[in-house]
Amino acid sequence: MAPKVGLFIPCYVDQLFPQVGIATLKILEHFGVEVDYPESQTCCGQPMANTGCTNEVGPLAKRFVEIFKAYDAVVCPSGSCVSMVTHHYDEYFQNDADYENLKGKTYEFTDYLTTVMGVKQFAGRFPHKVGLHQSCHGLRELRLASSSEVVGEPFGNARALLESIEGVEITQLQRPDECCGFGGTFSVAEEAVSCMMGEDRVHDHEQAGTEVLTALDMSCLMHLNGIIRRQKKPIRVMHISEIFAECL
């Protein structure tokens, strides 16, 4: 029997980048996953938590668990939202079996493909120089790839999937795991610093020859794409699910 997955779509994807949710669904179904999109889902509460409004997060956390607890797994095309659920909900639950069970079966999209479904490669073709942005939450909380401050063998399942696609050349960055500067409400409270950090990331991809900039988080890409568009840079921005969908 195919696993039944609850698809959790972040607020900004739902409102601004629906094609990312559609691409994620397309890929999961391609690999035989039974996907359900519960329409009662709401925000995971990360923006409120980041701003210090923790009292407002509790009801959202409890609603999230109630909506998704019955699924075999929860999959989300965003490392930051998954990190919120798996690393920052604990203060709202004490000895709650439903939450503990849910925490262990909530996955970022590429993590679910590789570690649960065992996907090793895509058979399609994508003849571009691709720059992979490593978002902070996925890198340092979910540990989806190796980071520069930790000594050890390099790893990264998302990169491996991209490299399996015919024609893809991963560009080499000078600072491969530096923050883009978005940081959710940080980009509002510290807009000048946020923009300077984003410009640094775009410049690094420029010098590396990136033609298509991708990431596991559309929020980071939204920030970087704003800089790219305003400065008229010749870089295309795509969520990793959109690249995979083009290769089917």
Side-chain angles (χ1 to χ4, degrees), residues 21-113:
I22 293 170
T24 301
L25 172 65
K26 183 178 179 180
I27 297 299
L28 290 172
E29 291 185 335
H30 173 77
F31 287 107
V33 178
E34 182 184 350
V35 183
D36 184 39
Y37 175 78
E39 294 185 6
S40 57
Q41 64 182 273
T42 58
C43 179
C44 68
Q46 182 181 183
M48 296 72 120
N50 288 349
T51 314
C53 301
T54 55
N55 290 337
E56 283 70 29
V57 180
L60 294 173
K62 291 177 171 59
R63 182 166 179 79
F64 185 96
V65 173
E66 188 62 30
I67 291 170
F68 286 101
K69 65 182 181 182
Y71 293 101
D72 297 324
V74 180
V75 176
C76 174
S78 165
S80 63
C81 292
V82 170
S83 179
M84 179 65 192
V85 174
T86 60
H87 286 65
H88 300 283
Y89 271 11
D90 293 87
E91 65 180 285
Y92 306 105
F93 300 94
Q94 293 188 359
N95 302 318
D96 188 291
D98 286 338
Y99 171 61
E100 291 302 321
N101 181 51
L102 184 70
K103 182 164 61 171
K105 61 179 183 180
T106 300
Y107 298 89
E108 182 275 327
F109 167 62
T110 62
D111 189 30
Y112 183 79
L113 287 181

Side-chain angles (χ1 to χ4, degrees), residues 39-196:
E39 294 185 6
S40 57
Q41 64 182 273
T42 58
C43 179
C44 68
Q46 182 181 183
M48 296 72 120
N50 288 349
T51 314
C53 301
T54 55
N55 290 337
E56 283 70 29
V57 180
L60 294 173
K62 291 177 171 59
R63 182 166 179 79
F64 185 96
V65 173
E66 188 62 30
I67 291 170
F68 286 101
K69 65 182 181 182
Y71 293 101
D72 297 324
V74 180
V75 176
C76 174
S78 165
S80 63
C81 292
V82 170
S83 179
M84 179 65 192
V85 174
T86 60
H87 286 65
H88 300 283
Y89 271 11
D90 293 87
E91 65 180 285
Y92 306 105
F93 300 94
Q94 293 188 359
N95 302 318
D96 188 291
D98 286 338
Y99 171 61
E100 291 302 321
N101 181 51
L102 184 70
K103 182 164 61 171
K105 61 179 183 180
T106 300
Y107 298 89
E108 182 275 327
F109 167 62
T110 62
D111 189 30
Y112 183 79
L113 287 181
T114 54
T115 63
V116 178
M117 298 301 296
V119 177
K120 301 294 184 184
Q121 64 182 30
F122 281 86
R125 177 174 170 77
F126 193 77
H128 300 286
K129 294 181 178 179
V130 176
L132 177 59
H133 173 71
Q134 300 284 6
S135 58
C136 298
H137 286 91
L139 191 68
R140 294 189 168 88
E141 290 198 332
L142 300 182
R143 306 305 302 169
L144 299 178
S146 51
S147 51
S148 57
E149 73 273 14
V150 177
V151 177
E153 289 295 319
F155 64 92
N157 289 338
R159 182 187 179 103
L161 286 177
L162 287 169
E163 289 178 330
S164 76
I165 300 171
E166 181 184 353
V168 167
E169 177 186 341
I170 304 294
T171 56
Q172 301 302 311
L173 303 175
Q174 294 177 349
R175 301 179 304 281
D177 59 0
E178 188 171 289
C179 178
C180 72
F182 176 60
T185 53
F186 173 80
S187 64
V188 177
E190 299 289 349
E191 70 275 11
V193 178
S194 174
C195 287
M196 290 179 69

Side-chain angles (χ1 to χ4, degrees), residues 202 213 224-235 237:
V202 171
L213 174 56
L224 294 173
N225 193 42
I227 294 169
I228 289 169
R229 286 189 295 105
R230 287 172 177 81
Q231 298 185 357
K232 296 179 170 55
K233 305 290 187 181
I235 299 175
V237 171

